[in-house]
Amino acid sequence: GLYRLSLDSSQQFDVHDLTVNGQDLAIKLTSGSAFVARTPDGATAVVLMGRGRLMFSPPDEAERTQVRIFAGEEALNADFECALVRVRPSDFALYFAKDSLVARAVAPADLRRAQEFFDETIGRALQIDLTDLSRDRWSLVPVSGDMIAEFRTKRFGNLTYTRVGDDAEDVSLFDRKRRKNISVYASSAKLAERGRFYSEDDLVDYDVLSYDIEAAFSPERLWIDGLAKMVVRVRAPFATTLTLRLADSLTVRGVYSPEFGRLLHLRIVGQNSIIISLPAAATRDAELPLQVLYSGRLEPQTLDREAITLQDPEPFVLQAEPRYVYSNRSYWYPQSTVTDYATAKLRITVPQEFDVVASGTPVGPPAPAPGPVESGERPRKLFVFDADRPVRYLSCVISRFSTVTTAEMRITTSDDTERGGIEHGPSEDAARDKGVSLIVQANPRQASRARGIAERSTAIFQFYASLVGEAPYPSFTLAVSESDLPGGHSPAYFALLNQTLPNSQLVWRNDPVSFESYPSFFLAHEIAHQWWGQGVGWKNYHEQWLSEGFAQYFAALYAEKERGADGFTPLARQMRKWAIDTSPQGPIYLGYRLGHIKSDGRVFRAVLYNKAAMVLHMLRRLVGDEAFFSGVRKFYMDWRFKKAGTDDFRVAMEAVCARDLKPFFEAWIYGLAIPRLRFSYEVMGDEVALKLTQRGPVAPVPVTVMLNYTNGDSDSLVIPVLEQTATRTVRLKGTLRDAQVNQDYAALAEFDK
């Protein structure tokens, strides 16, 4: 199935009024010429040149919104100069009619131009690296029904369209220059086949059970030497190949199996993928131990999503302590192509001046690295970590740390809660204490600040455990580091918390998560990720709000516990404003793609953090505190150490509140619109009639109405607006001065009074 594709230089074709149709795509070439590349089975690639136009029009509202952000209109129309269309040879006649390509004499200038574009684009997809066996360019052909099209447009540069039936979202449009997904979605045929919801686990043929990783880092050189031992279990009926993910910059020295010896492996060009060939088919439930030896230069990752955005950058005087983060986006060890819960043991060595915080409970203090120290090399230290509970991915941060404090946190849990019960809080006879080891480490200049952070961490951790019913992991390390901007990152077992330098001149007030009234926000948010994002994962990127929205809301709940309404209301006001302002950018369900096209992380945080948190708050007000927190505990226990989706959360909530919540989730997770309501009231003797009317499509929203009396007293009530109009008649307690709506900023709605 591998081919050395090249253009047929002996034949050129005239093209007139050609139309090639793909899923939601039309390629039109009024006049021009074409060259083809063939396999023994027939033509598989066509280079089109001339006066062409591509039209891409996704059917989904959210996807049309993303196209509008990119192109200014909800359907992309662009002139192109050159295009490369790739299909399976057996499908060629379905796209190109028999008389659409008319043979003519070859024009050398046209051939040179076509060859240049072919060479530029053919290696972008389906190219296999066989450097150990052959230096030639080897390509696969698309699967039947699939289509790949590369365009050089005048207005938008190079664009790539794909229809890949094996992908969960089989249609995509990609901005090649900026490396941005413009549109990614499931076609109508795909939706009919699998439904609206899917899990990324369904895309792989195996499950990783455990990792045992030895990694030697040389931070200044950004170099890693690694040996990864992993055990995988086959999920498919049978498997002849396994695809792993490893950073493209790392070289695989060998792949081994105790049963089969050294295994053939291939790299896909330009992708973080390794294809491992098995000498015999492995059947379902077979467990395969694998060893991957690798090394190379690898840049540490930045915390672009969990860090704040600058408003007005200024230079620094004091340099932050160097740190190196290798986590979920760096692919620093061989892993599944999707996040995969597994246990792990890590053995990490670094030069003796560095320290390591990583996924798992530290096993003893650091020790001298085994083996002799070579001439000219510095002594090294060995750090060992044991993740005996499943984690979604493995992470480590390398810097200079000193231990600030260690403590044993007492976490009160309930046997009822652990069995998945929905009681509100632990009963006295069922409650018991569990310990969670807390370790706080800090860069040397941050040690004094970290001592205060340690006390707050304990209080936050215990508060969250009281809401959910347990702590997911037996230990938690807080690494306090220096950075240009506040923010953090929270893999399983530890969290990295940025502390800005005292002489920083940076300004970041114009960010959705810059809460001046709540300096503990980032700490509370990152700790919450131990439950939401780690203890419970998400099935695909659309479900990421179950991590970020829950973490944001739990952080707001801690502010409410710590300061009451005075702590919560300012957060709600800011979160509501950002959510309303950015909702036209896309629904919560769009995940990482919010703000992606314009590289504006504020949109991502405004919608996935703030709007999602406000949606959870509205859900709480809709169903009541007891049902809400019981549902949250049930959801957590049902999906602990598994990946969940929006529908799973909805089912858990419906189980405890016995009501249909589909309209609520449809409006707030999948929809973009912010409802607009008109509020009015009329005093009738000793009663007041309150009326709320939605102008436009109905979105279920609970609204607070405040009744203010002339004697200074006030009463508030929540009115769920579930239909076009909601009314409530209330007996007055005195002379009414006025009635005000949404003074607590708890409703994501705009109001006409």
Side-chain angles (χ1 to χ4, degrees), residues 310 312-320 484 501-508:
L310 284 180
D312 185 19
E314 295 289 345
F316 271 94
V317 177
L318 189 63
Q319 294 296 314
D484 298 348
L501 295 168
N503 66 337
S504 171
Q505 300 299 310
L506 297 178
V507 178
W508 52 79

Side-chain angles (χ1 to χ4, degrees), residues 484-517:
D484 298 348
L485 297 166
H489 182 51
S490 188
Y493 282 91
F494 81 91
L496 177 66
L497 184 68
N498 293 351
Q499 294 294 292
T500 54
L501 295 168
N503 66 337
S504 171
Q505 300 299 310
L506 297 178
V507 178
W508 52 79
R509 292 186 183 90
N510 188 30
D511 193 278
V513 296
S514 175
F515 300 110
E516 292 184 345
S517 63

Side-chain angles (χ1 to χ4, degrees), residues 434-606:
K434 285 187 174 181
V436 173
S437 299
L438 171 68
I439 304 170
V440 178
Q441 303 217 43
N443 288 151
R445 283 192 296 242
Q446 302 300 325
S448 59
R449 296 174 71 179
R451 292 187 183 93
I453 294 173
E455 296 178 5
R456 290 197 298 278
S457 299
T458 299
I460 294 169
F461 214 97
Q462 291 173 329
F463 173 64
Y464 292 165
S466 74
L467 295 179
V468 180
E470 70 151 29
Y473 298 103
S475 70
F476 175 69
T477 300
L478 180 66
V480 182
S481 71
E482 296 174 344
S483 181
D484 298 348
L485 297 166
H489 182 51
S490 188
Y493 282 91
F494 81 91
L496 177 66
L497 184 68
N498 293 351
Q499 294 294 292
T500 54
L501 295 168
N503 66 337
S504 171
Q505 300 299 310
L506 297 178
V507 178
W508 52 79
R509 292 186 183 90
N510 188 30
D511 193 278
V513 296
S514 175
F515 300 110
E516 292 184 345
S517 63
Y518 188 19
S520 298
F521 158 74
F522 278 108
L523 176 63
H525 181 94
E526 299 306 337
I527 291 176
H529 273 311
Q530 294 300 299
W531 285 264
W532 310 114
Q534 302 304 335
V536 175
W538 24 284
K539 287 182 173 179
N540 58 67
Y541 75 89
H542 289 294
E543 313 288 7
Q544 192 176 354
W545 78 273
L546 294 171
S547 170
E548 299 299 352
F550 268 77
Q552 186 81 333
Y553 189 52
F554 267 53
L557 288 174
Y558 184 73
E560 184 180 41
K561 175 187 182 296
E562 196 175 31
R563 302 181 185 179
D566 291 340
F568 186 87
T569 302
L571 300 183
R573 180 172 60 244
Q574 181 170 329
M575 289 193 293
R576 174 182 178 273
K577 180 184 183 305
W578 276 99
I580 290 175
D581 289 348
T582 56
S583 281
Q585 299 287 310
I588 288 173
Y589 200 60
L590 210 60
Y592 82 89
R593 293 171 54 208
L594 292 157
H596 175 69
I597 292 173
K598 298 295 186 182
S599 299
D600 188 351
R602 294 179 303 174
V603 174
F604 174 83
R605 289 187 290 278

Side-chain angles (χ1 to χ4, degrees), residues 29 47 55 70 88 96 110 118 212 228 247 261 288 373-374 418 435 458 460 466 506 521 547 564 574 592-593 662 725:
L29 190 62
V47 172
M55 290 158 284
F70 176 75
R88 194 166 187 84
F96 295 89
D110 290 344
F118 181 83
D212 190 336
L288 304 175
V373 178
E374 300 294 334
E418 290 181 348
T458 299
I460 294 169
S466 74
L506 297 178
F521 158 74
S547 170
Q574 181 170 329
Y592 82 89
R593 293 171 54 208
K662 287 183 180 178
T725 300

Side-chain angles (χ1 to χ4, degrees), residues 266 291 298 360 388 497 670:
L266 308 173
Q291 297 181 17
L298 184 62
D388 59 352
L497 184 68
Y670 310 111

